[in-house]
Amino acid sequence: MGTALEVRGLGKKYGAITVVDGVDFRLARGECVGVVGPNGAGKSTLFNLLDGSVVPDRGTVMLGGRDVTSTMQYQRARLGLGRAFQIPRPFVGISVADNVLAGVMHGARLQGASARRRAAEILEMVGLADRHDRLAGSLPLLDRKRLELARAVSVGSEVLLLDEIAGGLTEQEVFVVVEIVRALKRDRGVIWIEHIAHALMAVADRIMVLHFGKKIADGEPVSVMNSALVQEIYLGSPVDGVT
Ligand SMILES: Nc1ncnc2c1ncn2[C@@H]1O[C@H](COP(=O)(O)OP(=O)(O)OP(=O)(O)O)[C@@H](O)[C@H]1O
Ligand SMILES: [Mg+2]
C-alpha cells in the first residue's frame, strides 16, 4: 500500500513548553493508527500540525508524497486531508445532505450531479442515507457523529484524522462507529485519537502512544497497550478494555 502521510521530526512549543516533541511516523493507505496518551499529551496539537491549523517549529509533513509543511489548511483539505472533531461541527441550519455536499464541493471540488452522487455515496457509507433531508441540528448524538465522519470523509480521500469521535456514546453506539471506521480505512489512511481503548483495539493496525509530546511507543495494539510503559502512564491501572 502507498504512503498516505509521513511525518518527520515534528515539533511544536508553546512558550517554554514543548507540546509535540520530535514525532516521526508513517501512515499507509488502508491502515488505521490509533493514538493514545494522557490528557495534555499533545494528541490534538499533533492533529493541528497535520491539518495545517498550527505551524510546526520544526519537522516535515508529507501528504500523499508531497511536502505540505508550509501548505495552508484549506489546501491540505483539497489534497485529501479530512478531520473529524469530538464535538461535531455541522452547519446546523441546513440538511444532512447539504452539509456533506458542501464538503464535497469545497474539499473534493466536485460539482453538479457528480458532487450529489459522491455526497449520496458518503451518506450511505456512514449510514445516514435515509436521513439525508433532516436538519443537521435535529440529529441525535450518534447521527451527529455519523455526520461529522461524513463531513471529514467528503474532504479526506487520502487521510482522515479522527479526534475522540466515540466520546459520549453508549457501548453499542461505539461499536457502530468502529464498523464505520473499519469500512473507511479500506481506501485511505486513518489516524484515530481515542480514550476508549477497546474501540481502537478493534480496528487499529498499530497504536502510537504520546506522552509529554513524545512518541514513546508505536506498534501492534495488544502489545503496546499491555506494555509496562503504557500501564505506568495510566497510573498503574489496567487500561480500559485490554485483557
Ligand atoms: N494554543 C495553545 N496555546 C498554549 N498552549 C496550548 C495550546 N494548545 C494546546 N496547548 C497545551 O498543549 C498541551 C497539549 O494539548 P493537546 O490539546 O494537544 O493535548 P491532548 O493530548 O489532545 O489532550 P486531551 O486528551 O485532553 O484532548 C496542553 O498542555 C495544552 O494546554
Ligand atoms: Mg485532545
Side-chain angles (χ1 to χ4, degrees), residues 2-20:
T3 300
L5 186 77
E6 187 163 2
V7 163
R8 290 194 212 118
L10 206 58
K12 176 70 191 170
K13 280 185 176 186
Y14 283 116
I17 300 170
T18 303
V19 176
V20 173

Side-chain angles (χ1 to χ4, degrees), residues 24-197:
D24 301 289
F25 68 88
R26 180 178 169 276
L27 172 75
R29 276 190 207 92
E31 186 180 38
C32 174
V33 174
V35 179
V36 300
N39 296 118
K43 305 180 296 295
S44 297
T45 304
L46 174 64
F47 274 11
N48 294 340
L49 299 176
L50 297 180
D51 81 358
S53 52
V54 170
V55 179
D57 300 326
R58 62 190 179 94
T60 53
V61 179
M62 309 276 291
L63 178 62
R66 180 196 291 233
D67 188 338
V68 296
T69 314
S70 313
T71 302
M72 305 282 286
Q73 188 175 14
Y74 78 93
Q75 289 170 316
R76 293 191 203 191
R78 286 185 177 168
L79 291 169
L81 187 118
R83 177 171 180 178
F85 293 87
Q86 178 175 13
I87 299 176
R89 298 179 170 188
F91 300 113
V92 291
I94 62 173
S95 72
V96 165
D98 286 346
N99 263 279
V100 179
L101 203 54
V104 167
M105 291 171 76
H106 294 114
R109 289 204 280 181
L110 296 175
Q111 293 197 330
S114 52
R116 283 194 298 278
R117 231 183 352 261
R118 180 69 189 136
E121 271 171 26
I122 293 169
L123 288 172
E124 188 71 44
M125 273 191 254
V126 300
L128 275 179
D130 60 348
R131 276 146 287 172
H132 65 95
D133 55 356
R134 290 272 299 269
L135 273 185
S138 74
L139 295 174
L141 184 62
L142 176 60
D143 289 345
R144 291 207 300 276
K145 303 275 187 179
R146 291 185 203 263
L147 179 57
E148 182 66 11
L149 276 167
R151 278 162 34 86
V153 173
S154 70
V155 172
S157 55
E158 190 84 25
V159 172
L160 272 187
L161 306 178
L162 311 178
D163 197 347
E164 294 191 39
I165 51 164
L169 297 176
T170 66
E171 276 299 301
Q172 272 179 330
E173 290 172 337
V174 169
F175 184 70
V176 171
V177 169
V178 164
E179 288 310 311
I180 296 171
V181 173
R182 198 191 304 285
L184 294 178
K185 80 167 183 175
R186 282 190 208 120
D187 305 320
R188 51 181 69 72
V190 176
I191 310 182
W192 187 0
I193 296 172
E194 191 56 74
H195 285 293
I196 306 168

